[in-house]
Every structure is written in C-alpha cells, then in structure tokens.
C-alpha cells in the first residue's frame, strides 16, 4: 500500500479549499460477490494506507511520550468528551434482560441528532460542506442502536472518520502520534464505557476464537509501540504484574487489562488467540501477524464490511494510481 503520507498535507501550508462535491456515504457491498469491489477500491487502499502509516508513526513510542497536539486534535478530544458526558446523563434503565440496555438507544439518538454539529466544531468554515459526509462515519463508529452491539466494523468506521479528516486536510502528517495516542485512545475509553454501561453485545464476535470481542486496531498499533522494547517481550503480556505496571504506557497492555476486568477464568481459555500470540518471539512478528489477521478476519469478512459506507472521500471506485 502506498503510504498515506501523501494525503496528509505538509504541516505548514494552509490547505486550499477543496474543489470537491461531498456526498452522503452509502452502502455498496450488498452481497458476498461485491467484496471484490471493496478490495480493489480507492477506499480500501486509503483505509489500509492510513492504518499502516499510523502503525509506523507510533512504532517504539510510549503513550506518555511527548508529541505535538494541534488545535483539531484538541477539538476531537472535546467531541469525545461530549459523548462521554452524555453517557453520564443517560443512565441504564431497569429491564429484564441483562445485556443490551435500551438506554443506549436514547444515548445514540442524541448522537444521531447532533453528529453534524459536532463534526462542524472540528472542521474549518471553508470545509463546512464536508460535515454531513464525515459525520456519517462518526455515527457508525459507536455501535448499532437496533441490536445494541459493538464490534470491529464500528471501530473501522472511527478509523475511517479520522481518515476522512486527513483527506480534507484537517489532520496532518505531524498529527500522527496524537491521532493514535490522544484521539483514538480517548475513543477507546469512551467505547469501553459504553460497552460496560449499556452491557453491549459483541458484534460478530468469534468468542474464544476471535482476538477480542470489541476492538482490533489497538492491538496492531499497541504491538508496534512495543517493537524493540528493551525488556518487555510478547510472553510478558499474560503476566498480571507486568500489565499493571506498564498499561499506562502501552495500548496493547491497556486492552489486556480491560479484558481481564471483564472476563473471568484462565486467560488461555477466555482469550485463546491472544494467549497464542504471547508465544510469538518478537513484537515485530506479532505486529505483522496482526496486520495479516486484521485483513483476513475483519476487512475481508462480508458480515463486517457489508455495513461500510462509501462517499466522495472513501470512494468505491477502483484505485486510480
């Protein structure tokens, strides 16, 4: 995949107004045979390029290290803080079934109503026309309000949301670390709170045979953070003490901590795939393996990708270059 860097404008110059007509993204993958269109699409190339560019950008870096925080990054964090506050204002309701609390629908309705306004706070005035298109990916990124579930397809919508903000020049090359460490990490915190508060079902989970019920990207970027770490090896992440001492620095360990809080019983039983990964000799091998697994288990699975939406920024048209 070509590096996504050419799409992230250089930091100094002001992006020219885009001569572009935006559109409301829509579903294009309606049957299994449409998957070939997706794999050939500009959207797929740009999405994967974005994921891999960020993967390189965070390599060997701690969450707590110093990095540039631009104004759009601050505004994105403020947007996520708003979603978090709405959870506090929408407590779960009493209901007979333990999972899928219906209060999530109330919370979601608010986002559905406010999404475009929220996105408009992040993008400059001259790009205001992009807000309706970009807002669709934000709405898709928090779970499904009918099924009250959340999975890797929703996570992919959030990455697509950030990818679109790069394509219109709101986020730039030197925002890379902040995109993952500040924005995506805050997104994860809010999603974990949603999952816990409303007892959301995992969407399309393979249970014990999947990597994780809810997320995938933080394992990719989190393993990249750990590449060439002087003393933390993959075998260490199943050690509770190591996780407790280092989770604030590494996204991967933060994910492990959340799993152990949410699940009971031996780690090898409830998270067999992750247990297997702990036997891989190096973090760079883990990282490469997870990228392959992400393509195979998420991006090439019809049940996940059938929900993906395509517009002018992430087009279904075949790659041009």
């Amino acid at each position: 995949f070509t590096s996504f860097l050419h799409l992230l404008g250089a930091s100094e110059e002001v992006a020219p107004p885009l001569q572009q007509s935006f559109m409301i993204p829509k579903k294009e993958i309606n049957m299994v045979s449409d998957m070939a269109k997706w794999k050939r699409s500009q959207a797929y190339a740009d999405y994967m390029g974005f994921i891999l560019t960020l993967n390189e950008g965070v390599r060997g870096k701690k969450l707590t290290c110093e990095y540039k925080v631009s104004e759009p990054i601050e505004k994105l964090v403020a947007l996520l803080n708003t979603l978090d506050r709405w959870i506090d204002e929408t407590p779960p309701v009493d209901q007979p079934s333990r999972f899928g609390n219906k209060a999530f629908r109330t919370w979601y309705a608010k986002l559905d109503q406010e999404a475009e306004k929220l996105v408009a706070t992040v993008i400059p005035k001259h790009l205001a026309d992009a807000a309706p298109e970009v807002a669709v990916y934000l709405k898709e990124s928090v779970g499904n309000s009918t099924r009250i579930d959340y999975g890797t397809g929703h996570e992919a919508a959030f990455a697509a949301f950030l990818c679109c903000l790069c394509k219109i020049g709101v986020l730039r090359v030197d925002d890379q670390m902040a995109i993952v460490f500040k924005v995506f990490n805050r997104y994860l915190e809010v999603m974990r709170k949603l999952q816990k508060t409303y007892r959301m079902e995992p969407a399309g989970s393979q249970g014990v045979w999947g990597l994780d019920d809810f997320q995938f990207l933080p394992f990719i970027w989190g393993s990249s953070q750990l590449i060439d770490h002087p003393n933390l090896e993959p075998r260490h992440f199943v050690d509770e003490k190591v996780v407790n001492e280092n989770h604030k620095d590494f996204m991967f360990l933060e994910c492990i901590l959340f799993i152990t809080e949410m699940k009971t019983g031996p780690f090898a039983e409830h998270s067999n795939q992750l247990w297997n990964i702990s036997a891989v000799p190096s973090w760079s091998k883990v990282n490469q393996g997870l990228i392959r697994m992400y393509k195979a288990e998420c991006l090439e699975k019809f049940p996940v990708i059938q929900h993906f939406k395509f517009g002018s920024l992430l087009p279904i048209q075949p790659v041009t270059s």
Side-chain angles (χ1 to χ4, degrees), residues 3-261:
S3 166
F4 194 78
L5 292 170
H6 68 284
L7 293 169
L8 291 160
S11 4
E12 277 70 49
E13 67 217 51
V14 175
L18 292 182
Q19 302 306 307
Q20 181 171 3
S21 52
F22 296 101
M23 61 180 275
I24 299 297
K26 58 184 204 297
K27 218 167 113 69
E28 300 277 3
I29 310 296
N30 298 305
M31 40 198 173
V32 176
S33 55
D34 292 333
M35 289 297 283
K37 271 199 307 203
W38 153 243
K39 283 185 249 181
R40 283 196 300 267
S41 71
Q42 189 65 50
Y44 183 82
D46 286 347
Y47 179 86
M48 209 55 224
F50 180 64
I51 299 300
L52 295 175
T53 298
L54 294 174
N55 190 55
E56 281 309 301
V58 300
R59 188 182 172 126
K61 306 277 200 309
K62 291 181 175 183
L63 284 168
T64 48
C65 73
E66 300 237 324
Y67 49 83
K68 173 184 171 262
V69 178
S70 64
E71 196 181 343
I73 294 283
E74 295 281 19
K75 288 176 171 171
L76 281 165
V77 172
L79 180 157
L80 291 164
N81 291 344
T82 300
L83 302 190
D84 191 336
R85 195 184 71 241
W86 291 348
I87 303 174
D88 296 333
E89 293 167 2
T90 319
V93 294
D94 278 337
Q95 61 177 42
S97 64
R98 234 175 93 217
F99 287 94
N101 195 283
K102 292 181 175 55
F104 175 73
R105 293 181 182 148
T106 311
W107 179 90
Y108 184 85
K110 194 160 175 97
L111 173 62
D112 195 33
Q113 207 183 334
E114 303 287 328
E116 277 182 40
K117 276 195 212 108
L118 287 172
V119 170
T121 64
V122 178
I123 58 183
K125 290 279 186 286
H126 71 273
L127 290 169
D129 289 354
E133 177 167 347
V134 177
V136 167
Y137 295 102
L138 178 64
K139 288 191 281 193
E140 296 278 317
S141 76
V142 296
N144 180 288
S145 69
T146 310
R147 294 187 305 272
I148 315 185
D149 66 5
Y150 176 94
T152 49
H154 302 111
E155 177 190 68
F158 191 74
F161 166 67
L162 296 173
C163 181
C164 289
L165 291 174
C166 290
K167 291 194 83 169
I168 60 175
V170 171
L171 297 171
R172 297 169 178 271
V173 155
D174 53 3
D175 288 318
Q176 277 183 87
M177 280 167 71
I179 290 172
V180 179
F181 291 172
K182 217 164 167 62
V183 179
F184 193 81
N185 204 41
R186 184 71 186 105
Y187 165 74
L188 282 178
E189 290 169 359
V190 178
M191 292 309 105
R192 286 175 186 139
K193 187 167 169 176
L194 278 179
Q195 289 152 21
K196 265 186 181 162
T197 306
Y198 303 123
R199 301 299 299 269
M200 296 176 78
E201 299 272 10
S205 164
Q206 296 152 309
V208 64
W209 302 111
L211 185 66
D212 175 78
D213 281 340
F214 296 112
Q215 315 295 156
F216 203 113
L217 292 173
F219 292 95
I220 296 179
W221 296 330
S223 58
S224 180
Q225 283 184 276
L226 285 155
I227 291 174
D228 298 329
H229 191 284
N231 43 15
L232 287 182
E233 293 168 33
R235 64 190 172 94
H236 290 121
F237 78 73
V238 291
D239 179 336
E240 210 180 322
K241 185 170 181 285
V242 172
V243 172
N244 289 335
E245 287 170 9
N246 297 282
H247 70 93
K248 288 193 164 63
D249 284 326
F250 300 103
M251 210 168 232
F252 195 102
L253 302 181
E254 196 70 78
C255 289
I256 301 295
L257 185 69
F258 184 66
I259 291 172
T260 53
E261 281 174 4

